[in-house]
Amino acid sequence: MSSITQGSYPPVLQDAERERLVQVVKDWTVAHGLTVRPPPAIAGNDAEGILATSAPVTLFPSPFPRSCFEEAKAIQTTYNELYALISQDEEFLTEMVKEVAGGDEFIANLWNVHLRVKKEGYVQNLALGLFRSDYMVHQDESSLQIKQVEFNTIASSFGGLSTQTSLLHKHLAQHEYPLLSSSASTAAANLDLPSNDSAAGLAAGLRAAFDAYGPSTLGHPTCVLFLTQTGERNVFDQRHLEYALSSSGSVPVFRLPFSEILTHTTIAPGSSQRQLLYTLPSNPSLVFEVAVVYLRAGYGPGDYPSQEAWEARYQIERSNAVCCPTVLTQLAGMKKVQQVLATPEESNTNSVPSALAKFMSPTSEKTQRLLKTFTNIYPLDTSLSGLHARQLATSPEDCQKYVMKPQREGGGNNFYRSTIPEQLQKIPEEHWNSFILMEIIEPPALANSILRNGAVEQGGVICELGVYGTCLWDQASREVKFNEEAGYLLRTKGDKSEEGGVAAGYGCMDSVTLV
């Protein structure tokens, strides 16, 4: 099945072997927190949140080219540096927002939050990014290369569960795969499984921001505040980061639904520093000063059902807490930014796009390595590149090679192949420029088995590698205070599925075996 593995992989399972492996995986995942809250269709009236179920996961780690894996990890700190620089360039982001805000009210509202805070003056110069750069392996004749799918600047999820998935597959390789009767069982028991400390790596970024904030000048204990979605199903992924952070020292961590920000937080009265104070709902006599706000919500329009929600985001942004991310950092993750970084202007004869050259030296090795990860991305505006892309997107034949993306994080937002022309017909043409058109990456063929909701799905799969990065920088001095690669995520989906989001119900957790 696979063009990057030799022989039969994964092993063919007999019915009894499959039943045993599934039971082992179910028990291990629950015992080690590789879990999610079940969907309402399964949980029923689980109003008290008492149920947990195994996260969707592969029965075997998926093969991944060693050179591609190592390159993706090696360039992560360069990507961290690049997006830190972008988030500090208000002039550049102003142009990006102008391009898309007319057809994207969410982006326009985010920008307005920034403008309101800018008018009264920011009080916190530090900014934290917990990033994830997502790639697929592109097979071009005999070569294999990583190509970037997207760069995530807010709520980069599954760092906690990815660590547990790597440990699961190591457990299976040591204790279960050698018991299989297939001739491939020996190979499955001697896999090259790299370590993955993504939970600890992301927690280290939060800890660096917490330490940089320093003690409260008001005499309060300081804390880290996780902002979450109401009814969050992916709670255990977030808990693993919380526990890793707490175990790194005395760091109080609290979870607060995004919808309750204005209920349980206030700006310190009479203080020009605008410290953000959090009152513990279970004990209102305890007041903490928030050193770091980590947003695991606020990345899509659904988190802002009213003007009150936008006021809550404004309160967080104008406070003295170190935001992960700031509004500007979140906007740096727009697909429009990714597109202009990868697209040379018509008048530009240089092989390095001018937008990228604005932030990175065109002749540096770092820049050349970044360029190799770019795929063809086009605007859908009225520039020459945009007009060409409009022809591709509206052609029933040419559109089969492309995906159309809005300026959104999270799964389920994209339009693929033949759905692109019909979707464009529903959108006013003057709003087409709020989308980008990206050439679909063609990965090598792979097979695996996925355990989802207790049932096993077998067949061809597509893998997407995410590499985490943590970066803390000073917006005023432009000094980078912390910049690390922080582990990886492998998400796998059936090769007939277009989307890859695990939380959105499309993909599953996986880990890498290097080949």
Side-chain angles (χ1 to χ4, degrees):
M1 177 69 183
S2 174
S3 58
I4 61 175
T5 59
Q6 295 181 351
S8 176
Y9 186 87
V12 177
L13 298 175
Q14 303 298 319
D15 289 346
E17 292 176 324
R18 185 181 303 105
E19 290 177 12
R20 173 181 170 81
L21 198 57
V22 165
Q23 191 58 54
V24 169
V25 170
K26 286 180 179 178
D27 290 347
W28 194 99
T29 53
V30 172
H32 294 82
L34 181 45
T35 49
V36 294
R37 294 285 186 209
I42 295 177
N45 295 321
D46 179 30
E48 300 302 318
I50 61 172
L51 299 181
T53 188
S54 301
V57 66
T58 57
L59 296 186
F60 298 90
S62 289
F64 203 90
R66 181 186 303 274
S67 60
C68 294
F69 181 78
E70 292 177 349
E71 179 65 9
K73 286 171 70 70
I75 63 174
Q76 183 59 38
T77 54
T78 301
Y79 264 117
N80 293 347
E81 178 186 346
L82 171 61
Y83 275 83
L85 289 169
I86 292 170
S87 75
Q88 295 172 71
D89 195 324
E90 187 191 27
E91 181 181 0
F92 173 76
L93 287 174
T94 298
E95 293 304 311
M96 297 299 97
V97 170
K98 283 181 180 178
E99 289 287 329
V100 302
D104 196 319
E105 184 181 9
F106 176 67
I107 295 296
N109 286 335
L110 276 176
W111 187 246
N112 284 335
V113 170
H114 161 66
L115 292 180
R116 288 179 66 188
V117 179
K118 179 187 176 184
K119 186 175 182 179
E120 63 179 335
Y122 279 88
V123 293
Q124 178 57 264
N125 290 326
L126 294 176
L128 175 66
L130 298 192
F131 299 138
R132 195 186 71 222
S133 186
D134 292 337
Y135 306 94
M136 292 174 68
V137 175
H138 180 67
Q139 186 167 24
D140 185 7
E141 297 177 351
S142 60
S143 68
L144 297 170
Q145 298 177 311
I146 51 164
K147 294 295 182 181
Q148 189 182 63
V149 177
E150 64 182 357
F151 192 89
N152 303 277
T153 61
I154 182 171
S156 302
S157 58
F158 294 111
L161 295 192
S162 60
T163 294
Q164 300 308 106
T165 306
S166 296
L167 294 174
L168 165 66
H169 286 151
K170 287 185 177 183
H171 171 81
L172 297 177
Q174 183 177 358
H175 299 288
E176 297 297 326
Y177 300 156
L179 305 179
L180 301 176
S181 59
S182 165
S183 60
S185 63
T186 302
N190 292 279
L191 301 170
D192 189 347
L193 305 177
S195 61
N196 185 15
D197 296 324
S198 48
L202 293 169
L206 290 165
R207 179 66 199 235
F210 179 82
D211 290 343
Y213 184 88
S216 168
T217 58
L218 301 178
H220 297 291
T222 52
C223 72
V224 174
L225 193 62
F226 283 32
L227 296 181
T228 64
Q229 292 179 321
T230 302
E232 175 64 72
R233 291 182 54 221
N234 196 28
V235 58
F236 304 107
D237 173 54
Q238 300 168 9
R239 287 291 192 185
H240 284 301
L241 267 65
E242 175 186 333
Y243 301 150
L245 179 57
S246 297
S247 67
S248 71
S250 181
V251 182
V253 181
F254 301 105
R255 295 170 57 82
L256 180 67
F258 193 85
S259 58
E260 298 179 19
I261 291 172
L262 295 180
T263 303
H264 298 295
T265 72
T266 57
I267 299 295
S271 172
S272 60
Q273 281 302 106
R274 299 188 215 132
Q275 292 93 338
L276 184 67
L277 303 181
Y278 170 68
T279 302
L280 192 65
S282 59
N283 185 356
S285 66
L286 291 179
V287 178
F288 289 79
E289 183 173 329
V290 182
V292 183
V293 174
Y294 174 41
L295 281 85
R296 289 296 292 258
Y299 55 82
D303 291 324
Y304 301 87
S306 64
Q307 183 57 36
E308 183 181 34
W310 286 108
E311 290 301 314
R313 184 62 186 274
Y314 167 63
Q315 175 159 295
I316 296 299
E317 187 74 9
R318 71 188 290 262
S319 78
N320 193 49
V322 179
C323 291
C324 179
T326 64
V327 165
L328 290 182
T329 305
Q330 180 174 349
L331 289 168
M334 288 188 295
K335 302 301 181 289
K336 181 65 182 178
V337 171
Q338 183 188 10
Q339 176 256 304
V340 298
L341 290 175
T343 307
E345 297 177 5
E346 287 78 10
S347 59
N348 181 12
T349 57
N350 194 318
S351 60
V352 178
S354 57
L356 179 60
K358 178 179 176 65
F359 302 103
M360 308 287 292
S361 169
T363 58
S364 73
E365 180 187 357
K366 287 182 177 181
T367 302
Q368 297 305 314
R369 292 175 76 175
L370 289 182
L371 283 171
K372 290 180 180 178
T373 69
F374 293 169
T375 189
N376 291 324
I377 312 176
Y378 303 99
L380 283 168
D381 55 21
T382 55
S383 66
L384 290 179
S385 294
L387 293 174
H388 173 63
R390 290 184 176 199
Q391 291 180 337
L392 296 173
T394 54
S395 165
E397 295 79 26
D398 293 332
C399 71
Q400 301 298 327
K401 297 180 180 179
Y402 294 92
V403 53
M404 186 174 75
K405 297 183 176 185
Q407 315 298 316
R408 288 289 177 276
E409 301 285 357
N413 297 305
N414 301 331
F415 302 94
Y416 291 80
R417 306 181 196 268
S418 58
T419 64
I420 297 174
E422 59 187 74
Q423 182 62 27
L424 282 173
Q425 290 180 358
K426 303 175 185 178
I427 303 170
E429 193 167 329
E430 61 269 22
H431 293 166
W432 285 12
N433 59 352
S434 62
F435 292 80
I436 59 105
L437 192 71
M438 183 175 183
E439 192 170 27
I440 288 177
I441 302 165
E442 300 292 347
L446 293 171
N448 212 328
S449 298
I450 297 172
L451 177 62
R452 188 194 312 275
N453 296 330
V456 175
E457 308 163 8
Q458 295 175 272
V461 296
I462 295 172
C463 300
E464 186 172 311
L465 177 73
V467 178
Y468 296 102
T470 57
C471 192
L472 177 70
W473 65 94
D474 188 306
Q475 302 267 52
S477 69
R478 305 178 75 85
E479 177 190 1
V480 174
K481 296 179 173 292
F482 188 89
N483 183 9
E484 299 287 343
E485 179 259 313
Y488 81 91
L489 159 72
L490 193 69
R491 286 175 297 175
T492 293
K493 61 185 179 182
D495 59 7
K496 300 299 187 291
S497 172
E498 303 280 28
E499 293 286 359
V502 178
Y506 303 103
C508 76
M509 300 300 298
D510 197 351
S511 76
V512 161
T513 176
L514 298 176
V515 294

